Amino acid sequence: MIGGRKAKLLDYLSRTPGWTTAAELADHVGVTPRSIRSYVGELKESDASRDVVESSPQGYRLNGQAYAALLAHEDARPHDSETPAARAHRLLRRLLDEPSGLDVYGAADDSFVSESTIDSDLARLRRRLDGSGLSLRRNGSIVTLDGSETDRRRLLSQLFRDESEQHVVTRGRIETVFRLPGIAGFGTELVAALDDRGYFVNEYGINDVLLHVAIALDRTARNRHIEALSTVADDGIRQTMLTLDELLHAHFGARLDGAELQHLAMLLATRVLAPRSTSGDAALEDFLDRSVIETVSRIVEEASQQYAVDLRDGPFTVRLALHVQNLLTRAGEHNYSRNPLTRSIKTSYPLIYELAVFIASRLQQAAAIVVTDDEIAYIAMHVGAYLDQQSRRRDSVTCALICPGYYDIHRLLRDRIEAELGHDLVVTSVVPDAASDLDGFETDLVLTTIPTNAPRENVIVIQPFLTEADIGAVRTAIARVRRQRRRAHIKEQLLRYFDESLFFRNTYARDEIAMIRMLGEQMRAAGLIDGAYIDGAIERERMSSTAFTDTLAVPHSMAMTARETAIAIVVNEQAMDWGGSRVNVVAFIAFKAGERSSFQAIFDQFVEVFGDREVVQQLTRKSTTFPAFIDELVHVFDS
């Protein structure tokens, strides 16, 4: 089984388009370029992974087809019993399947190791079982696993994820591991049936439930049944139980008892379902506990004030409260949902993720629960969808339309433009004068049906009868205007916050917390923040890593209590470990409460620029002094 740093190397290549140098891979993996070349050589020597990494003078890249085949091969082959971790994993799987226990001497013989080695493996397992509800009990040479069937199944699902690529559950892998062809079709019909019954179905989380379905079928076939639930099933759960019963029998010829069906129906209700009401969002409040909606309303109000964004919208609050109500149930069972989009949301929408972190932190305090990164990402999806609707209304581009009148052609053209582009473009005036001064308009764009001999960037010539090519050209111009707006504003704002005294090159610390303290003390010495802000930044870091890309960490406090807005930045040629990533740039950001409105633009653009690995390589190479850093940053923003 490929693991450790070679697995980390392959994972990084799988997320990086094009060629990657040995130096960049070394930074990410935390080894030397020579070790990277050694790992690639070892991969090429194995029959299973021979073709997975391609080499050239430009560096290395992944052969996607070969990598997929390698993952399938890794899934199918038995675990290597020679490594302690793999051997302990194997013991755990056997203990889960053997109610009468496992003989230590037999296990040692099976693995060709000593009994003391098995004792060491069992000690490793005891640590692994902390918090799982399960425990090991030894009587002479026999070791048994004590705990409920529910806890056993929860552990099985965790083991399955641990063995999966990037811990993501796929239907294909469920079918392979459980020898259960048809689970994909079962899932499709289940989603359709629930949709027909009036539910929103979170299809990002449905595979987690399908995994539990597969585990239930496997365990009941071994006569391992779940305990009856103390919760009384309501009408919605009973209907879902009937749906599951029909589909399980139709697809697998299986009949599960009431406790099993209720358990699966509860998983669906708390992980992937939200009621959809044809009477409007207000009617959804009937499904909510009053204390939940009060708590969420209070947190939404606080988040709106803290981040200067208006989330105080009734339908948004109700939908978020529905999600939180299910989250509280999952947290109470320590049975969280996985989100395959967590990394991309964190990287692509840092402020939205930051808002979600704030909401999650307040939920943790209010309900005394733990909210994982995956659950934070689901909150971010709610926040992002709402803010996207708001920003589309505010971010429209204006245009004037020049179209000489001839019957109703100018009216028809305007109607067609608004039908195709109305969400992004506002037509402020229609001018019939073919001789209009193109420089006399105060709109972002000018659309004209009159050919011009003096091309201008903001003037687009279109046909009287709008074509697909015209629509494409206008969309491109709209995107350009928005990009120019954003970058001009960001450049103006961002460059105000750097100072030579807070620029550091090739400065390292033993870990993330030490780096935050070092930069924080520099900012405190400059009179920009106090000790509480540093403590807040450390608290934020411990909740969820601020490494928003593979090369950039942005530590900060959720409370915007700085005396002045400022950025202390470290640019390092050699990457350092940061929350499971390897970063070259660390930017400690302190925000003053009165400047919250600049937070989103700065934060998003900063992450966007430093998320480009070529930009980071260029910056780390050229930013030998503070003036050089500023010059290079301006160049990046202008490009």
Side-chain angles (χ1 to χ4, degrees):
M1 173 178 275
I2 294 175
R5 288 170 172 165
K6 284 200 283 282
K8 195 171 183 180
L9 180 153
L10 291 174
D11 176 62
Y12 186 71
L13 287 175
S14 73
R15 294 183 281 105
T16 308
W19 296 98
T20 307
T21 64
E24 182 183 342
L25 285 168
D27 268 351
H28 177 75
V29 177
V31 296
T32 65
R34 182 176 180 180
S35 295
I36 293 296
R37 289 189 284 272
S38 175
Y39 295 156
V40 172
E42 291 171 14
L43 289 168
K44 289 182 178 295
E45 289 174 4
S46 166
D47 288 340
S49 59
R50 185 186 306 276
D51 301 319
V52 73
V53 178
E54 299 175 355
S55 308
S56 82
Q58 298 169 273
Y60 304 102
R61 71 179 179 188
L62 199 70
N63 180 326
Q65 189 172 356
Y67 186 47
L70 173 65
L71 294 178
H73 173 78
E74 290 290 310
D75 285 342
R77 68 185 291 232
H79 295 299
D80 182 358
S81 62
E82 293 181 359
T83 66
R87 193 171 52 245
H89 178 96
R90 195 178 189 182
L91 281 173
L92 184 54
R93 291 302 295 263
R94 290 180 65 183
L95 285 164
L96 283 164
D97 291 336
E98 295 289 342
S100 59
L102 191 67
D103 183 75
V104 170
Y105 302 118
D109 289 341
D110 291 343
S111 299
F112 303 101
V113 295
S114 67
E115 295 152 27
S116 61
T117 299
I118 295 296
D119 286 336
S120 297
D121 293 338
L122 291 173
R124 180 191 294 267
L125 284 187
R126 286 189 175 90
R127 293 191 295 272
R128 172 71 175 81
L129 293 173
D130 281 347
S132 69
L134 302 170
S135 61
L136 293 180
R137 178 167 53 87
R138 183 162 180 172
N139 184 11
S141 66
I142 302 299
V143 178
T144 54
L145 185 64
D146 289 346
S148 69
E149 176 65 17
T150 301
D151 289 334
R152 289 169 186 264
R153 295 190 186 185
R154 186 178 299 129
L155 181 59
L156 277 169
S157 70
Q158 183 61 56
L159 292 175
F160 182 93
R161 292 190 193 94
D162 289 346
E163 296 167 357
S164 301
E165 177 63 16
Q166 298 179 5
H167 304 286
V168 173
V169 176
T170 65
R171 297 183 187 186
R173 191 161 189 279
I174 295 172
E175 289 187 343
T176 300
V177 172
F178 289 92
R179 296 180 177 84
L180 198 62
I183 195 72
F186 169 83
T188 299
E189 285 197 35
L190 178 61
V191 169
L194 293 169
D195 183 74
D196 288 344
R197 283 183 46 213
Y199 286 105
F200 292 111
V201 181
N202 171 15
E203 296 195 47
Y204 294 111
I206 191 69
N207 286 356
D208 273 335
V209 178
L210 295 182
L211 170 60
H212 281 276
V213 170
I215 291 172
L217 292 172
D218 179 71
R219 298 292 287 178
T220 53
R222 300 167 187 260
N223 202 30
R224 311 278 190 272
H225 296 280
I226 206 165
E227 304 81 2
L229 301 181
S230 58
T231 306
V232 177
D234 60 24
D235 288 342
I237 293 296
R238 284 195 292 272
Q239 286 295 322
T240 303
M241 289 168 64
L242 290 173
T243 300
L244 285 166
D245 186 46
E246 292 172 4
L247 291 176
L248 285 168
H249 186 258
H251 283 265
F252 309 113
R255 291 288 190 193
L256 299 181
D257 64 29
E260 297 282 356
L261 290 172
Q262 185 179 350
H263 175 68
L264 294 175
M266 290 292 292
L267 285 175
L268 281 166
T270 58
R271 291 190 176 206
V272 299
L273 297 183
R276 180 174 59 231
S277 173
T278 56
S279 303
D281 289 305
L284 296 177
E285 293 189 40
D286 295 339
F287 295 91
L288 286 167
D289 185 295
R290 177 51 50 185
S291 65
V292 171
I293 197 163
E294 288 175 355
T295 298
V296 171
S297 297
R298 185 176 66 254
I299 293 172
V300 164
E301 174 70 28
E302 191 177 355
S304 297
Q305 293 177 0
Q306 187 75 13
Y307 287 89
V309 295
D310 192 1
L311 299 175
R312 291 162 292 200
D313 176 79
F316 167 75
T317 301
V318 168
R319 290 172 185 272
L320 180 60
L322 282 168
H323 175 81
V324 168
Q325 186 162 280
N326 287 342
L327 167 58
L328 293 175
T329 301
R330 294 193 294 272
E333 298 173 353
H334 302 287
N335 203 353
Y336 298 96
S337 287
R338 296 284 177 159
N339 190 331
L341 299 181
T342 297
R343 184 182 182 87
S344 63
I345 290 171
K346 193 173 182 179
T347 301
S348 303
Y349 309 102
L351 177 66
I352 289 171
Y353 187 83
E354 195 58 31
L355 265 168
V357 170
F358 180 88
I359 292 170
S361 71
R362 295 304 186 264
L363 282 172
Q364 287 190 163
Q365 295 170 10
I369 60 171
V370 173
V371 184
T372 64
D373 275 9
D374 288 319
E375 295 285 5
I376 291 172
Y378 277 121
I379 295 173
M381 291 171 75
H382 281 270
V383 173
Y386 175 72
L387 291 181
D388 183 62
Q389 289 178 341
Q390 299 300 99
S391 66
R392 284 181 181 275
R393 295 172 191 151
R394 294 191 302 265
D395 201 28
S396 293
V397 173
T398 60
C399 81
L401 173 61
I402 300 175
C403 180
Y406 184 76
Y407 291 95
D408 286 334
I409 286 180
H410 58 295
R411 293 191 182 90
L412 294 172
L413 180 58
R414 177 175 185 159
D415 290 346
R416 178 76 192 283
I417 289 171
E418 291 181 339
E420 294 288 346
L421 303 161
H423 290 294
D424 302 306
L425 189 69
V426 175
V427 180
T428 60
S429 60
V430 178
V431 182
D433 187 358
S436 296
D437 178 10
L438 295 177
D439 294 323
F441 296 98
E442 295 182 355
T443 54
D444 297 306
L445 298 174
V446 176
L447 308 186
T448 176
T449 59
I450 309 301
T452 174
N453 294 326
R456 294 170 174 80
E457 188 177 60
N458 73 322
V459 176
I460 296 91
V461 178
I462 60 174
Q463 303 303 313
F465 303 102
L466 204 64
T467 67
E468 290 299 321
D470 293 332
I471 294 170
V474 176
R475 288 193 192 281
T476 300
I478 290 170
R480 183 179 66 250
V481 169
R482 286 177 170 165
R483 184 170 61 251
Q484 289 169 345
R485 281 181 188 172
R486 186 180 72 249
R487 292 195 172 183
H489 178 70
I490 296 296
K491 180 181 174 182
E492 177 187 353
Q493 293 293 317
L494 186 59
L495 296 182
R496 291 168 39 201
Y497 304 133
F498 287 104
D499 185 270
E500 188 163 7
S501 66
L502 297 176
F503 172 79
F504 305 92
R505 179 173 171 80
N506 291 337
T507 301
Y508 298 90
R510 69 177 182 275
D511 56 27
E512 303 96 314
I513 304 304
M515 179 66 83
I516 290 171
R517 289 195 187 280
M518 186 275 288
L519 293 176
E521 289 301 330
Q522 293 291 329
M523 299 183 88
R524 181 159 68 168
L528 299 169
I529 60 174
D530 58 16
Y533 192 93
I534 300 172
D535 293 340
I538 292 171
E539 179 186 354
R540 164 65 184 85
E541 190 65 44
R542 285 173 173 159
M543 183 165 185
S544 178
S545 170
T546 57
F548 286 100
T549 74
D550 286 323
T551 55
L552 169 72
V554 189
H556 57 279
S557 172
M558 288 185 291
M560 299 182 188
T561 57
R563 298 186 183 98
E564 297 293 338
T565 301
I567 301 174
I569 191 159
V570 176
V571 180
N572 289 335
E573 291 180 272
Q574 301 298 319
M576 67 173 286
D577 288 325
W578 196 289
S581 298
R582 300 273 297 170
V583 302
N584 294 85
V585 180
V586 179
F588 189 118
I589 301 185
F591 281 95
K592 182 180 178 181
E595 297 180 346
R596 291 172 181 161
S597 60
S598 64
F599 185 86
Q600 179 167 0
I602 291 172
F603 205 52
D604 286 355
Q605 184 70 4
F606 200 82
V607 173
E608 178 184 339
V609 167
F610 285 88
D612 187 323
R613 59 194 178 95
E614 293 183 3
V615 167
V616 173
Q617 289 174 343
Q618 184 174 309
L619 275 166
T620 55
R621 186 175 64 254
K622 295 186 177 181
S623 299
T624 55
T625 65
F626 179 70
F629 167 72
I630 291 297
D631 288 344
E632 191 59 34
L633 190 61
V634 170
H635 171 73
V636 168
F637 275 69
D638 281 343
S639 61

